[in-house]
Amino acid sequence: MSAFAGVMEELTRLLPPGADVIDAHTHLGADEDGQSLTRDELLAHLDVVGPGTRACTFPLHDPDRDPAYRVPNDRVLEWARDSGGRIIPYCRLDPADDPLGEAERCLALGARGIKLHPRAQAFAFTRPEMDGIFAIAAGAGVPILVHAGRGMAPMDALADVALRHTEVPLVLAHAAIAGQGMFAERLAEHPAVLYDTSCFSAFDVVELFARVPAERVVFASDVPYGRPASGLFQALRVAALAGLDEDDCRLIAGGTMAAVLERRPLPVPRPPRLESVRPVAGPLLRMGAYLMMAFGAAIGGSWPPDPAKTAPFIAMARCVARDPAPGAAEPAVRRIDAMLEDAEQLIAGPVGDETRAVFGLLQAAIVIAATEPPDA
């Protein structure tokens, strides 16, 4: 697809030379929702970014998780050992099922982080096990990554735990959209809280860069739900909008995550460099809104998402592109329209693996709509 080829070409320009790329949020194994990913599939996705790309990896919501996520954790540890150092294994814990014992077991076997998913495991951060889990992470010097995305009630209790254990690097997944403003305010002085960029909405990631230091933002994809190349394109496009330089972008792409994993001091945070109130180009705002509606239609029902449900909203976005005078936004409008034309052709074709490319095109189009400077 010529339109997506342009995205990859731009990603090559955005990624600084010599950047150490680490995807902070990936999965392996099987999930109850039908998603799955093998070691070789994950490595193939990372190869699209580059042959040296690495990933922090943990189990999906695996049907074999009882007891204590032991079997899926062992699988990830084994796959990591066979990955040539490219898969950095985390253990996933269920606070209701021997979390302290499983954490200690996995860390002794080489796990380098802990994953907690309060939606999937249906727990609150008021549970008494939380302080024990954070204490184990502190003793081992490893980060804890927490789902902080859709489906969550207010997460103030997590902020409480984090402030009791400021020595523990905490990675808030999905741009912390479940409580982005709350976390940004309450954890502003936390020395090691990070925000990963695995998020369907580029508008949320733009706002993240306006709320927290860029030195505390780390690239992530959430593969198999996202893709590393698309996720990195999003993170670096927003970084460009924020006016970040190559050194800043190296940190976002993997430098900050490498410092966490290697137990080195984190880069000194600076105030956010993106304004909280930003001018926008009207046509791009309209196109982005329709495309977010397309994503919502596709993922709001049963899993897996249905690309055909995006068609009416793609058509609405393409109506915007028929504006004969879109102003300074015209190059971006035309570029997005070409991507949507490719998406429509995929939707009209035979159902198969290629239809997943619709979501890659939509995400890239939303990124462009959200990040194109209004005076470009």
Side-chain angles (χ1 to χ4, degrees), residues 279-301:
V280 298
L284 295 178
L285 181 63
R286 293 181 62 206
M287 295 183 92
Y290 289 138
L291 297 179
M292 287 303 304
M293 292 166 68
F295 250 116
I299 69 174

Side-chain angles (χ1 to χ4, degrees), residues 94-330:
D94 182 347
D97 191 357
D98 190 26
L100 306 187
E102 181 63 6
E104 291 175 339
R105 186 186 75 86
C106 291
L107 291 167
L109 293 172
R112 297 176 64 186
I114 292 171
K115 164 68 182 292
L116 297 174
H117 202 306
R119 190 190 76 216
Q121 267 63 68
F123 68 85
F125 284 92
T126 53
R127 290 186 67 103
E129 298 88 355
M130 287 300 116
D131 285 306
I133 292 169
F134 273 71
I136 287 174
V142 300
I144 297 178
L145 184 145
V146 177
H147 172 85
R150 65 184 182 91
M152 293 304 303
M155 299 189 73
D156 301 73
L158 173 57
D160 294 338
V161 178
L163 290 170
R164 292 197 298 270
H165 300 276
T166 55
E167 72 280 18
V168 177
L170 174 65
V171 183
L172 295 168
H174 313 304
I177 61 172
Q180 189 183 91
M182 179 275 292
F183 286 124
E185 291 299 312
R186 291 199 60 200
L187 303 182
E189 302 303 319
H190 191 295
V193 63
L194 306 178
Y195 299 80
D196 89 31
T197 63
S198 62
C199 193
F200 285 126
S201 169
F203 297 96
D204 283 319
V205 180
V206 170
E207 184 63 14
L208 179 69
F209 274 73
R211 295 302 302 267
V212 307
E215 295 81 8
R216 296 296 180 262
V217 177
V218 294
F219 145 65
S221 72
D222 197 28
V223 66
Y225 302 96
R227 294 291 183 265
S230 296
L232 187 58
F233 176 72
Q234 174 172 264
L236 294 180
R237 250 275 183 161
V238 179
L241 178 68
L244 304 187
D245 62 23
E246 286 193 344
D247 289 339
D248 296 323
C249 291
R250 287 189 182 93
L251 293 176
I252 292 165
T256 297
M257 202 65 234
V260 169
L261 295 167
E262 295 165 11
R263 305 174 192 175
R264 294 186 280 108
L266 293 179
V268 176
R270 289 181 283 169
R273 276 151 280 170
L274 195 59
E275 296 295 330
S276 59
V277 178
R278 302 171 293 275
V280 298
L284 295 178
L285 181 63
R286 293 181 62 206
M287 295 183 92
Y290 289 138
L291 297 179
M292 287 303 304
M293 292 166 68
F295 250 116
I299 69 174
S302 59
W303 200 266
D306 181 359
K309 292 181 179 179
T310 68
F313 305 99
I314 290 174
M316 292 167 70
R318 297 200 70 195
C319 286
V320 179
R322 293 201 289 270
D323 185 338
E330 182 170 2

Side-chain angles (χ1 to χ4, degrees), residues 1 314 338-348 357-358 361-362:
M1 290 177 294
I314 290 174
M339 300 169 78
L340 299 183
E341 182 178 12
D342 280 354
E344 286 182 330
Q345 291 175 2
L346 287 170
I347 293 168
V358 169
L361 287 167
L362 287 182

